[in-house]
Amino acid sequence: MTTDPHILHPGHAPTPFTAGEIRAGCPAGRTIRLAVQEGGGSYIRVIRFVACSEEGATQQSQAFTEHGGPLGEPTIDWAPWSQLQAHASFAASTTTIDVEALNTPLGRLECRVYTVVDGEEVTRFWFAVLRPGMPVKVEKKANGEVVHTTTMVEDGIS
């Protein structure tokens, strides 16, 4: 039995952040703006931490057109910090972890890069070392073609 708080399950790679690190890095008011490209189209997703406690966080999420028009209604969900950590828990046998500096709209960021292979799908997650929580970039390829990209374009407290 492991006592490493980065390893959530036997046979899984360590997560980039612990639940406690995510909690510390995601206070109420943290607002993240993501540029999403998939299926030949693109949109913006805004995620805001509305309320936070020792146990978890309430987040509001909404998609917008590139010109700012809403795409549907906002959703509000509560999740424990451990669940947010678990989003980055992958089988060690299909995951490689590297370190890479990435140029982003937020500047040049030192990242832990998780490459997860699932058959013909390869997904890369760039987790900025100094920004606990979700990745600053995600790229998914199927059969060698990029089918999805998410890039964090803004991150701040409002």
Side-chain angles (χ1 to χ4, degrees):
M1 181 101 185
T2 181
T3 58
D4 183 341
H6 289 93
I7 299 176
L8 299 183
H9 306 287
H12 274 220
T15 60
F17 308 106
T18 66
E21 290 168 334
I22 296 168
R23 180 179 61 242
C26 297
R30 182 178 183 190
T31 303
I32 299 166
R33 190 174 185 85
L34 306 163
V36 181
Q37 297 178 333
E38 63 184 354
S42 60
Y43 62 94
I44 301 294
R45 174 158 304 284
V46 177
I47 300 169
R48 184 169 186 273
F49 286 80
V50 177
C52 300
S53 68
E54 283 295 311
E55 294 78 33
T58 300
Q59 298 175 49
Q60 179 179 330
S61 178
Q62 186 167 13
F64 296 89
T65 67
E66 290 185 335
H67 303 291
L71 294 170
E73 296 297 318
T75 61
I76 297 179
D77 294 301
W78 182 87
W81 299 113
S82 59
Q83 181 181 340
L84 298 179
Q85 178 186 3
H87 290 162
S89 183
F90 307 108
S93 62
T94 60
T95 305
T96 59
I97 303 170
D98 298 297
V99 175
E100 177 182 313
L102 179 69
N103 290 320
T104 77
L106 306 172
R108 189 166 176 83
L109 302 173
E110 189 73 17
C111 296
R112 290 183 195 99
V113 185
Y114 284 57
T115 303
V116 181
V117 178
D118 182 9
E120 295 296 318
E121 290 186 355
V122 177
T123 307
R124 296 184 77 202
F125 302 86
W126 285 262
F127 292 94
V129 173
L130 298 178
R131 291 180 183 271
M134 67 186 309
V136 293
K137 183 175 180 180
V138 178
E139 179 185 81
K140 182 177 186 176
K141 290 184 178 182
N143 299 312
E145 299 288 325
V146 176
V147 295
H148 176 97
T149 303
T150 299
T151 305
M152 191 179 293
V153 295
E154 291 179 28
D155 183 10
I157 306 293
S158 60

